[in-house]
Amino acid sequence: MYLPDYIKIILDKLSAKGYEAYVVGGCVRDYLLGQCPKDYDVTTSALPEQIIECFSDYKLLTNGLKHGTVTVIINNLPVEITTYRIDGDYKDHRHPEKVEFTSSLKEDLSRRDFTINAMVYSEKTGVVDYFGGKEDLEKKIIRAVGDPYQRFDEDALRILRALRFASRFGFKIDRPTADAAHRLRYLLEGISVERIQTELCGILMGDCHDVLYNFPDIICEIIPELRASIGFIQYSKYHNRTVYRHTIAATAGSDADIIYRLTMLLHDVGKPESFYMDDDGVGHFKGHALVSRRIAEKILKRLKFSNKITDEVLFLIENHSIKMNDTEKYIKKAVVRYGAEGFLKLINVHIFDNLGKAEWYLWENDFFRSIAQHTREYLEKQPALSLKDLKVNGNDVSALGFVGEEIGKALHFLMDAVIDEHCQNEKEKLLVFLKKNRKNIK
Ligand code: ATP
Ligand code: MG
């Protein structure tokens, strides 16, 4: 295994003093997978005060000392060095009551979550693998170290970590581990939203289809609003999947960008509520985008997503099923209304949405790609029009008695009229046009 020099220095310093020292966990797993480790964690038989003594010449951070972790700053990089430890009894299904240090590497590894995360490496020993981690990597399996029920009961976050690693690496979760995750999912109630948000993003950003498909109960433990989508038949020629299955196909098929993944996960969350069947037995979901937006807002706020992410996702959800045209006039209007970047993202959302529809309908994605192409050509050719180009402004419009949201709507209405050549872009003409067409503004 390739180790960077600064890690070698750390391992060498510890072994020179007679302590055992290894890199552990994610970096060993990633190396065996042929991937570049994100960072290197070190585990050692040295006690915290011995670690501190060993690295007295270095800048140290000791805020993790309670858990046996000393962070050494080396080459301006923080490296966590943790003493072999056994976790005491767990309180609140998350935090060990106390940690005890041990001199046994095997004991330290046995407290780790999954076999693929419970391996260490040093140049002297090579990979040390007490729990069959290598074999599970080869078989592409996530398996708890020890009894999965006990391990999830100790720390329920591990349930989501199992799903995250399965999604990230495209692995299956071993049957007993998966069974325990299903059965103990109610323990997730006690996990902080910050942790849940991080794990959810990790799950969504991976190869998430199978995880969303096989663990809907766990996903709904975090987002109960999705429950109504499961098994919800759409009675539509465009759809050969239930709302939930459509949702996961669209989510997993979208670009790996958290904005898209959250948008697609939640874009149809309002469908069950909006459903109506006509006399011919055809299902309709009129207005579902707005209902989805309302529900999604509640979910994103509860999970403490930033305002930036929330606003962007809600914008895309609200507009995920607008009717688009591949004409110059439509594109100009759409760019004014949604912004250039917003409109291009909306086109993508329409494409991802179609990935979850009946196959015969996929032709529509060529249409959307063509709109995207023409939009880019328009944006390259000339400065995009905006409301600023209009010869009337908000003040002019409010002087006519428009207030609040009506002002923006009136300006967009006039902009559309100019692009459609229904009215010339001259102040007097625009104001007359506006007075005449006031009732047509939507
Ligand atoms: P990543 O590449 O996402 O950082 P990682 O495996 O390094 O993956 P970390 O969260 O950085 O994950 O944790 C480092 C190691 O600590 C893990 O590999 C695992 O051995 C152990 N670990 C982390 N969280 C837990 C937990 N909740 N329960 C048991 N062991 C854990
Ligand atoms: Mg890590």
Side-chain angles (χ1 to χ4, degrees):
M1 173 170 178
Y2 163 82
L3 293 179
D5 286 342
Y6 66 95
I7 295 294
K8 281 190 192 159
I9 293 173
I10 289 180
L11 297 185
D12 288 347
K13 269 185 170 300
L14 287 162
S15 24
K17 295 251 180 191
Y19 307 119
E20 296 172 16
Y22 302 90
V23 289
V24 63
C27 63
V28 182
R29 176 199 66 215
D30 292 350
Y31 157 73
L32 290 171
L33 284 171
Q35 298 182 4
C36 183
K38 198 171 65 186
D39 52 21
Y40 295 81
D41 295 319
V42 172
T43 186
T44 177
S45 60
L47 292 168
E49 53 270 32
Q50 295 168 325
I51 302 173
I52 292 173
E53 195 196 311
C54 211
F55 296 96
S56 54
D57 295 345
Y58 292 80
K59 187 171 181 284
L60 302 175
L61 303 176
T62 51
N63 44 346
L65 213 55
K66 207 170 66 186
H67 301 108
T69 302
V70 176
T71 305
V72 178
I73 311 292
I74 179 161
N75 288 2
N76 283 324
L77 293 166
V79 179
E80 288 190 0
I81 306 178
T82 305
T83 306
Y84 294 166
R85 61 173 228 225
I86 325 168
D87 294 335
D89 285 346
Y90 283 76
K91 56 176 183 190
D92 66 23
H93 307 287
R94 175 77 189 104
H95 302 98
E97 207 87 59
K98 60 175 180 353
V99 303
E100 254 174 66
F101 301 127
T102 167
S103 57
S104 157
L105 170 64
K106 189 169 180 186
E107 274 185 340
D108 178 88
L109 292 178
S110 71
R111 73 166 170 91
R112 293 176 183 271
D113 48 6
F114 306 111
T115 59
I116 61 166
N117 290 343
M119 292 179 277
V120 293
Y121 171 87
S122 75
E123 281 181 342
K124 240 184 295 170
T125 61
V127 173
V128 180
D129 173 21
Y130 291 114
F131 302 102
K134 251 196 237 170
E135 192 186 330
D136 287 344
L137 274 181
E138 271 155 29
K139 293 204 284 200
K140 300 181 183 291
I141 281 177
I142 307 295
R143 186 161 59 92
V145 175
D147 173 13
Y149 282 88
Q150 187 195 332
R151 306 315 310 286
F152 291 152
D153 185 68
E154 287 167 356
D155 178 2
L157 185 69
R158 291 172 188 153
I159 296 173
L160 294 182
R161 286 175 61 88
L163 269 55
R164 166 158 68 87
F165 287 118
S167 173
R168 173 163 159 198
F169 299 121
F171 282 15
K172 289 220 165 352
I173 302 180
D174 191 43
R175 190 61 192 266
T177 300
D179 285 347
H182 285 298
R183 292 283 286 277
L184 297 180
R185 66 184 186 274
Y186 67 93
L187 295 175
L188 288 172
E189 205 183 32
I191 301 295
S192 75
V193 283
E194 287 79 3
R195 290 297 187 140
I196 288 190
Q197 192 217 88
T198 308
E199 296 302 329
L200 175 66
C201 291
I203 293 168
L204 290 178
M205 289 299 281
D207 186 359
C208 61
H209 183 275
D210 290 0
V211 166
L212 298 176
Y213 188 92
N214 291 319
F215 298 91
D217 52 342
I218 295 177
I219 298 302
C220 289
E221 204 62 42
I222 313 175
I223 307 178
E225 292 86 347
L226 280 171
R227 210 166 274 145
S229 307
I230 297 173
F232 199 100
I233 296 170
Q234 310 208 45
Y235 299 97
S236 153
K237 66 178 177 184
Y238 303 110
H239 286 281
N240 55 359
R241 294 177 174 90
T242 63
V243 175
Y244 185 72
R245 294 219 174 147
H246 160 74
T247 295
I248 63 183
T251 305
S254 69
D255 289 355
D257 172 325
I258 195 62
I259 297 290
Y260 287 135
R261 294 275 158 116
L262 286 168
T263 298
M264 299 326 291
L265 184 72
L266 302 177
H267 77 291
D268 276 349
V269 69
K271 260 192 169 178
E273 213 177 287
S274 323
F275 180 74
Y276 133 88
M277 187 183 274
D278 66 22
D279 293 341
D280 300 323
V282 176
H284 300 276
F285 300 94
K286 205 158 174 270
H288 78 275
L290 270 179
V291 180
S292 294
R293 189 207 136 102
R294 169 173 52 74
I295 301 172
E297 184 170 13
K298 213 176 92 198
I299 297 167
L300 294 167
K301 293 223 160 111
R302 184 179 68 233
L303 295 177
K304 297 198 179 162
F305 278 97
S306 69
N307 290 340
K308 187 167 177 291
I309 289 181
T310 303
D311 290 347
E312 204 175 340
V313 170
L314 294 181
F315 160 77
L316 293 174
I317 292 178
E318 176 175 347
N319 297 297
H320 83 262
S321 59
I322 55 173
K323 193 175 158 328
M324 292 187 178
N325 291 311
D326 194 6
T327 63
E328 194 176 325
K329 280 180 183 167
Y330 172 78
I331 288 171
K332 279 185 177 171
K333 285 187 279 184
V335 168
V336 177
R337 194 168 290 263
Y338 307 113
E341 203 190 328
F343 181 52
L344 286 167
K345 287 188 178 173
L346 274 177
I347 298 173
N348 281 336
V349 166
H350 281 65
I351 290 173
F352 304 144
D353 199 1
N354 277 345
L355 298 178
K357 292 186 188 167
E359 224 159 82
W360 69 267
Y361 200 65
L362 274 180
W363 64 266
E364 206 196 24
N365 278 350
D366 290 335
F367 169 71
F368 287 129
R369 284 191 201 100
S370 167
I371 300 177
Q373 178 59 23
H374 291 138
T375 304
R376 282 190 290 268
E377 282 166 14
Y378 162 60
L379 294 169
E380 270 166 30
K381 243 184 3 224
Q382 51 199 289
L385 282 173
S386 83
L387 287 186
K388 285 197 213 89
D389 298 308
L390 207 55
K391 296 295 184 218
V392 295
N393 61 28
N395 291 337
D396 303 325
V397 169
S398 70
L400 293 183
F402 287 81
V403 287
E405 270 186 14
E406 289 170 0
I407 297 171
K409 282 187 183 166
L411 291 173
H412 278 291
F413 178 78
L414 289 177
M415 193 77 213
D416 288 357
V418 169
I419 295 170
D420 283 333
E421 295 167 17
H422 295 154
C423 181
Q424 280 169 312
N425 192 7
E426 289 169 26
K427 187 166 174 176
E428 289 311 314
K429 289 189 175 157
L430 287 166
L431 294 174
V432 170
F433 186 84
L434 185 60
K435 279 191 235 168
K436 219 163 61 186
N437 290 285
R438 196 166 185 154
K439 60 179 181 314
N440 298 329
I441 302 175
K442 282 200 272 304

